[in-house]
Amino acid sequence: MRIEHTKWVMLALAAFTIMGSYYTYDSIAPVAGLLRDERGFSQSQIGLLNAVFNLPNIALALIGGILIDRIGAAKAILIAAIICTIGAILTAIGEPFGLMLLGRLLFGLGNETLYIALLVGIAQWFHLGGGALAIALFFSMARVGSYSADKSTSWFAEVYAAGWQAPLWLAAGLTATGVLSAFVYYLVDKKLPHLRAVGQKMERFSLKDLSGFSRSFWYILWLNVLFASVFFPFRSTFSIQYFMDVKGMNLAEAGTANSYVFAAAIFATPVFGLIADRFGHRASLLTFAAALMPLTFFILVTTEYGLWVTTLLMGLSFSVIPAVIWPSTAMLVEKHRVGTAFGLINMIQSMGLAAANFGAGYLNDRFKAGPNNPQGYDAMLSMFAILSLIAFVATLLLLLRERRQVNGGIEARVIGQSDASMQRH
């Protein structure tokens, strides 16, 4: 089998594997109301289910790459997919609450390694060209998983009618299908190793590697961390419950409204990635996208505009930032330090995600947010607005600094499809 054909098969297998993983991550928001009504969960407990998901990533962000290099991307993908499935099953069993937390912890443990290993694998198979497009398509399929999780409230209404547990078993089943695609990926990789690039061994990690990054790198790091800490806790944990309690939607309507953000990203993310590759202006694109986030929450808190306005704004932001931010990060650091840079960003991002998920739940409980007190959600929305405003300031500083660079910095650089862009979120 020629590499031109094989690499697209491997991309399809990787995309199918990550799609199930993203579905399971986003499966909490659709059942949040059921967990509150049927099991008496507080908002803090619901936020903790996604907060605990990020705790293992704080450590694995720095050591996951070492593990992948030692055992190979394909084997790491298979092992991580199995761990994710075990975690999803324990979450679906869900009683007592501690077992559900353990399930989300295990799922997070496997998911971070799975995510990084899949990106490493794609980079290896597309080492001769097409890496940027391949990564963008990979991200698009991940968004299909998130979109499907939200739409499941209407696609599988009878499953949700059965109570909180059935939707989580559906998520566990989809995660398990990822093990099958990961196993096929492993078999093909083992049979045709000569068609892909051999992964480079990572150098021994030193704390000194965390120093010496440029100010532009730190600006983009805080944009990444703050954007993720706003977008994912809101859209993947609390938004559906918020739409039901504040906007008067039923579960199916709220899930559909939330899904539009991910639906837009499925198609728009590759487009913005190719625009940045062809025309540059990366810092400008990031500044534009970051400005939309505080505007989104300002509109939610202060106006009665239809949800399509905020959905459009957040969908645009979510389409631009993931497509542009990771290739831009790789341009701001030396090639031999890209792994360290990505690991540092993921480590701090995981801390931010855990803190934001728990903080949002705490604020909702503190101000008694719910259908009888819709104004109780204003504190959570204000927190997200402040964080996103700080992220916008970071992009302004990045834009000003890069425009002062002699060569135009990441604003001016144009690259080809062979430049591989990596990472989440």
Side-chain angles (χ1 to χ4, degrees), residues 84-312:
C84 284
T85 301
I86 294 173
I89 290 173
L90 293 179
T91 303
I93 294 173
E95 294 183 280
F97 178 67
L99 183 65
M100 181 177 275
L101 278 182
L102 176 62
R104 292 298 286 182
L105 183 72
L106 284 176
F107 180 72
L109 178 71
N111 189 76
E112 179 69 9
T113 302
L114 176 66
Y115 172 74
I116 296 175
L118 285 168
L119 288 173
V120 171
I122 293 172
Q124 290 176 351
W125 281 99
F126 284 81
H127 68 287
L128 296 179
L133 178 60
I135 295 294
L137 292 172
F138 173 78
F139 277 131
S140 289
M141 289 305 295
R143 308 308 178 216
V144 170
S146 297
Y147 171 78
S148 299
D150 285 337
K151 286 295 291 181
S152 66
T153 57
S154 54
W155 289 347
F156 307 108
E158 67 281 1
V159 174
Y160 285 86
W164 65 269
Q165 198 168 32
L168 295 178
W169 277 116
L170 174 62
L174 291 173
T175 308
T177 62
V179 176
L180 298 178
S181 57
F183 182 63
V184 176
Y185 185 104
Y186 172 77
L187 293 178
V188 176
D189 186 271
K190 186 176 181 180
K191 184 177 180 180
L192 302 171
H194 58 286
L195 294 183
R196 59 164 169 80
V198 177
Q200 294 182 346
K201 295 292 183 181
M202 291 182 63
E203 298 178 0
R204 183 182 297 273
F205 176 75
S206 171
L207 289 177
K208 294 181 179 179
D209 294 334
L210 301 182
S211 63
F213 291 121
S214 69
R215 275 189 294 156
S216 289
F217 168 78
W218 290 105
Y219 293 149
I220 211 169
L221 177 148
W222 288 114
L223 166 61
N224 201 318
V225 170
L226 291 167
F227 175 80
S229 297
V230 170
F231 182 88
F232 290 106
F234 180 65
R235 285 291 173 178
S236 297
T237 308
F238 295 105
S239 59
I240 291 178
Q241 193 171 335
Y242 168 80
F243 294 156
M244 294 172 67
D245 291 348
V246 178
K247 304 300 182 180
M249 294 181 170
N250 61 37
L251 180 58
E253 291 170 340
T256 298
N258 202 45
S259 72
Y260 290 150
V261 172
F262 301 110
I266 293 170
F267 303 101
T269 300
V271 172
F272 284 113
L274 293 175
I275 288 173
D277 280 353
R278 182 67 62 87
F279 302 107
H281 300 292
R282 293 174 184 81
S284 296
L285 284 169
L286 290 174
T287 303
F288 163 73
L292 300 179
M293 291 297 283
L295 180 60
T296 295
F297 289 102
F298 176 80
I299 292 174
L300 279 175
V301 172
T302 63
T303 75
E304 296 298 327
Y305 290 161
L307 281 180
W308 69 269
V309 176
T310 55
T311 297
L312 175 64

Side-chain angles (χ1 to χ4, degrees), residues 315-397:
L316 277 173
S317 184
F318 188 53
S319 299
V320 175
I321 288 181
V324 178
I325 198 168
W326 292 107
S328 299
T329 303
M331 295 175 189
L332 292 172
V333 301
E334 301 91 336
K335 289 185 178 180
H336 68 280
R337 295 171 53 136
V338 170
T340 301
F342 284 168
L344 179 62
I345 290 174
N346 273 347
M347 180 184 71
I348 300 177
Q349 179 177 287
S350 295
M351 294 178 184
L353 283 166
N357 269 297
F358 183 78
Y362 170 80
L363 288 174
N364 288 341
D365 282 339
R366 173 70 176 78
F367 291 94
K368 303 185 186 307
N372 298 322
N373 183 31
Q375 291 77 21
Y377 285 102
D378 288 350
M380 175 188 73
L381 297 181
S382 297
M383 180 191 80
F384 288 144
I386 292 170
L387 292 177
S388 57
L389 186 60
I390 297 172
F392 172 61
V393 172
T395 58
L396 281 178
L397 294 173

